[in-house]
Amino acid sequence: MLLFLVPSAAAQDSLHLSRKNNFLEVAGPQIPNGPLRIYYIEAYCRPNSSDRDWRETTIGHKTQHVSASDDGRELKLKCTLNDGVTVDHVITAGHDEIDFQLSLHNPTSQPSQAHWAQPCVQVAKFTGRDQQTYLDKCFVFMGGKLQRLPLERWATEARYTPGQVWAPRHIDRDDLNPRPISQLVPSNGLIGCYSADEKTILATAWHPYQELFQGVITCIHSDFRIGGLAPGETKKVRGKIYLVPNDVPALVKRYEADFPEHQADE
């Protein structure tokens, strides 16, 4: 007797994950012009980074593929930093989101300077634009309202240009990406962009977060905060990527339910 396994409705309807050459790929009919590519993780970074050579800021690391579910909905990775810190990643695909659960541990006898890290979400195909033209497809929230880029007050000076960095009030301005740092403070930790046809929104958030960043290779970042790790210390970090219809109030409501800490952080 032959037995045929039929994928569940949830699995068929879900986004799907794969990884190749340090890029996480997200596929599914929910993604216009997909798949979505994420440089994951682009870099782990030391503090005092805002005006320093990038090569001195980054902590080298290697990423190991641990496991992947048969249905493409779960991926487990392990990063090992050059200073000995390990980062276990559990990445789960849902119908219209990707969930990230990270556990960071310092097994050594020395403090780690791992202070923040960069998942780089690349959006050229999604927005239908290139590095020179995608800016007005992107947004952050200021004063409780979605604001498309560029904002009226736009920083232009830094060690490296172009780009734009926004950080919550409690983050030291010396510990950010060495790109132009805005004087404006975002009202939440959500950054996103619109699809080429404006029917779909891609947005991302992490907790705790170090900064929001509009980048230089047609990318957007919510860069997560680590804050260093003492010997033997373990910390938890979590994140989301949303791929949802163009309904901003619904997106904000969902984000606020997923990240209630951000309401108190600002």
Side-chain angles (χ1 to χ4, degrees):
M1 180 177 67
L2 296 177
L3 179 64
F4 295 95
L5 297 179
V6 179
S8 68
Q12 290 177 316
D13 196 35
S14 173
L15 296 165
H16 292 85
L17 303 167
S18 61
R19 182 177 177 272
K20 184 178 181 181
N21 297 331
N22 293 318
F23 281 88
L24 176 66
E25 290 199 352
V26 183
Q30 303 89 325
I31 308 175
N33 303 318
L36 177 69
R37 282 166 54 90
I38 306 153
Y39 191 0
Y40 189 89
I41 294 287
E42 180 179 358
Y44 292 90
C45 304
R46 297 178 175 89
N48 301 311
S49 50
S50 299
D51 187 20
R52 183 171 58 190
D53 187 290
W54 186 242
R55 292 168 295 182
E56 297 177 9
T57 286
T58 56
I59 302 172
H61 72 282
K62 293 183 179 180
T63 303
Q64 172 190 357
H65 176 97
V66 176
S67 67
S69 63
D70 291 340
D71 62 7
R73 296 185 64 194
E74 183 182 87
L75 188 63
K76 293 183 179 180
L77 307 173
K78 186 183 190 73
C79 291
T80 303
L81 279 60
N82 287 358
D83 66 1
V85 163
T86 60
V87 186
D88 292 306
H89 306 251
V90 179
I91 308 169
T92 307
H95 166 67
D96 58 0
E97 70 172 33
I98 305 298
D99 179 78
F100 300 83
Q101 300 290 330
L102 277 57
S103 178
L104 302 93
H105 178 63
N106 181 4
T108 78
S109 60
Q110 300 297 318
S112 170
Q113 289 294 300
H115 208 73
W116 56 285
Q118 294 191 308
C120 175
V121 184
Q122 303 190 353
V123 298
K125 291 176 66 176
F126 182 82
T127 61
R129 302 283 185 84
D130 60 23
Q131 196 274 335
Q132 301 298 322
T133 60
Y134 86 111
L135 189 59
D136 68 351
K137 284 287 191 179
C138 302
F139 62 80
V140 293
F141 286 81
M142 296 288 169
K145 297 181 180 180
L146 183 148
Q147 300 287 327
R148 291 219 193 196
L149 306 184
L151 304 181
E152 184 175 348
R153 295 166 61 185
W154 195 257
T156 57
E157 296 183 2
R159 176 178 285 264
Y160 304 108
T161 60
Q164 198 77 176
V165 180
W166 300 269
R169 296 186 190 280
H170 64 275
I171 297 297
D172 192 324
R173 267 46 185 173
D174 289 335
D175 298 338
L176 300 172
N177 200 303
R179 298 278 173 175
I181 298 171
S182 177
Q183 295 181 358
L184 301 174
V185 176
S187 55
N188 64 34
L190 197 61
I191 186 170
C193 59
Y194 290 92
S195 61
D197 62 8
E198 301 274 320
K199 293 181 179 179
T200 306
I201 291 175
L202 183 160
T204 183
W206 286 77
H207 180 78
Y209 79 100
Q210 185 81 358
E211 64 180 27
L212 307 178
F213 174 49
Q214 174 270 319
V216 295
I217 52 171
T218 324
C219 62
I220 57 173
H221 289 220
S222 173
D223 291 333
F224 62 81
R225 178 173 175 78
I226 303 168
L229 288 157
E233 186 174 18
T234 298
K235 290 184 176 181
K236 305 291 186 181
V237 173
R238 70 183 195 278
K240 295 277 190 181
I241 293 177
Y242 303 103
L243 288 151
V244 295
N246 184 355
D247 183 340
V248 174
L251 170 64
V252 171
K253 183 177 181 180
R254 183 164 164 182
Y255 156 74
E256 290 178 345
D258 287 338
F259 297 94
E261 303 93 340
H262 289 189
Q263 314 313 308
D265 279 350
E266 307 305 334

